[in-house]
């Protein structure tokens, strides 16, 4: 690898965290540049094709989309975190994309001011989690005993669900035991714990309060 990689991040973003987990898991020396997405700097607006994080600077090039960044980082630093069977790998890619859909429903569940909308999003999240439970191997990780790319992709979602549980007593994994165990295994890993700033739990709570959505009314402390 030639140029040092530079990941543009927003501390609260679960999609950035997907990329960080792969970088950490592979012990890659990289830079991380934090921006405030609510007040993005001019250089970021010019750099990021869609105005979103994550963006990975590779020399004079930029990559966007968390799953693409994950795959690029994986490919340039063998051995791969992907399953070797092309069919399993392809199916994992589809479920990684599905994980993005869950995150997209989780955010309005947490932040929407309307109780009915928040509950509707919670139902969407729960339904998707049930679908995921049905295809989980039942092993320590998604495919079995080995940590793969899909595990890096789902850990940020589980971290946020764990925040929600601690803050509101809503246990989104109560009816999906395989996912609950998977979450526990993922959240215990160094590459996951070290993929966020130490103050993230406090920041997440601050975000919930600041957004002042229905879930803020359920905060337990
Ligand atoms: N599909 C994208 C989603 C990235 C995304 O939604 N990032 C959020 C922050 S967590 C963002 O940049 N939002 C700003 C915007 O959409 O304008 C990926 O997987 O990288």
């Amino acid at each position: 690898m030639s140029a040092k990689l530079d990941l543009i991040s927003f501390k609260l973003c679960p999609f950035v965290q997907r990329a960080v987990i792969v970088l950490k898991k592979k012990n890659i020396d990289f830079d991380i540049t934090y921006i405030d997405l609510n007040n993005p700097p001019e250089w970021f607006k010019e750099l990021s094709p869609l105005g979103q994080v994550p963006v990975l600077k590779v020399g004079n090039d930029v990559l966007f989309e968390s799953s693409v960044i994950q795959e690029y980082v994986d490919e340039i630093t063998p051995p791969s975190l992907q399953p070797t069977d092309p069919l399993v790998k392809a199916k994992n890619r589809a479920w990684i994309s599905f994980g993005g859909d869950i995150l997209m429903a989780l955010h309005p569940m947490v932040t929407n001011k309307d109780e009915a909308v928040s509950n509707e999003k919670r139902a969407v999240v729960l339904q998707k989690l049930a679908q995921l439970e049905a295809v989980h191997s039942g092993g320590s990780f998604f495919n079995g005993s080995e940590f793969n790319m899909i595990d890096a992709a789902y850990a940020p979602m589980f971290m946020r669900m764990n925040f929600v549980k601690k803050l509101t007593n809503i246990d989104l994994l109560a009816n999906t035991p395989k996912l609950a165990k998977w979450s526990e295994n993922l959240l215990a890993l160094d590459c996951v714990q070290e993929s966020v700033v130490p103050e993230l739990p406090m920041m997440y709570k601050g975000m919930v309060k600041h957004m002042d959505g229905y879930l803020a009314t359920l905060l337990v402390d």
Side-chain angles (χ1 to χ4, degrees), residues 6 45 52 68 80 94 127-128 141-142 166 174 184 201 208:
D6 185 7
K45 292 183 199 163
Q52 292 189 326
V68 171
S80 177
Q127 192 224 335
K128 288 187 185 301
F141 299 111
F142 185 79
K166 285 191 174 140
E184 204 180 301
V208 173

Side-chain angles (χ1 to χ4, degrees), residues 10 13-15 18 37 50-54 65-67 104:
F10 175 57
C13 178
F15 295 100
R18 285 176 156 186
L37 252 193
L50 303 184
Q52 292 189 326
V53 288
E65 278 298 322
S66 56
S67 57
M104 289 303 190

Side-chain angles (χ1 to χ4, degrees), residues 194-209:
E194 292 165 6
S195 63
V196 292
V197 291
E199 66 271 24
L200 185 68
M202 197 190 72
M203 288 181 75
Y204 192 86
K205 183 177 179 181
M207 183 275 290
V208 173
K209 280 187 167 171

Side-chain angles (χ1 to χ4, degrees), residues 39-54:
N39 189 16
E42 276 311 312
W43 62 261
F44 175 73
K45 292 183 199 163
E46 280 159 32
L47 184 79
S48 174
L50 303 184
Q52 292 189 326
V53 288

